[in-house]
Each structure stands twice: as C-alpha cells, then as structure tokens.
Amino acid sequence: MPGHALPANKFTIPYLDKVVHFGFYFTFILLYEIESYHQSSHTPMLLGVGLATLLGVSTEFGQRYLTGGRHFEFFDILANISGTFMGWLIFRFILKKL
C-alpha cells in the first residue's frame, strides 16, 4: 500500500517501517527453518536464507521498476537481510541448546 494512502497519524515512530521489515523477515526465516527442521527431507538450512534474501532484494527492485506508488529504499533491503540473518542465527542458537 502506498504511504500516501495511509491515514494521517499525529504519533509517529522513527524508522518504524525498518522495524517492520526486520520483524517480517526475522519471523519468516525463523518459521521456515523450524518447519524445514521438522520435515523428513531436511532441506539445507541456508536455502531459506538465500530465498529470503532474494525475496527481500527482488521485492524492493520490483517496487522501483514495476509499481507507481511504491518506492525503492536501500535501507529496506538492509532491514530485510538483517532480519533474515538474525532469525537464522537465533534458530541456530536454539538448535544448539536442544
């Protein structure tokens, strides 16, 4: 949804969109890795990281070249990738504790 379509808000949180990007990709990769771990095929764990990174980068470039109301932001890509790797690291940490 384009930012101008959102209702005006008196209360703003700085960089909230980056936190949302980070949180989405953190949750996405964490759930992916948990499900992958429980599958009998045991897909390679880094496959999820690669797919999430590709999704995060391609989504931003898609916004730049394929949409009119959305904008490309390099720091969104960084938030996506940071969330992905942090989710993966947390999963690896939890896995070692089990």
Side-chain angles (χ1 to χ4, degrees), residues 18-86:
K18 306 309 179 250
V19 173
V20 170
H21 278 261
F22 180 92
F24 175 80
Y25 281 85
F26 177 87
T27 304
F28 173 72
I29 198 65
L30 197 59
L31 292 175
Y32 176 90
E33 295 296 344
I34 290 169
E35 184 60 26
S36 176
Y37 179 76
H38 289 294
Q39 295 294 321
S40 60
S41 64
H42 292 291
T43 59
M45 289 187 183
L46 285 178
L47 176 65
V49 171
L51 291 173
T53 301
L54 181 64
L55 177 66
V57 172
S58 61
T59 300
E60 286 302 313
F61 278 100
Q63 288 179 163
R64 181 178 196 167
Y65 295 110
L66 302 175
T67 66
R70 306 280 303 175
H71 300 287
F72 171 89
E73 288 191 41
F74 177 74
F75 289 109
D76 284 351
I77 292 175
L78 288 180
N80 297 344
I81 292 172
S82 298
T84 297
F85 280 99
M86 187 58 70

Side-chain angles (χ1 to χ4, degrees), residues 7-25:
N9 189 357
K10 294 184 280 185
F11 180 73
T12 59
I13 300 172
Y15 307 110
L16 178 62
D17 66 321
K18 306 309 179 250
V19 173
V20 170
H21 278 261
F22 180 92
F24 175 80
Y25 281 85

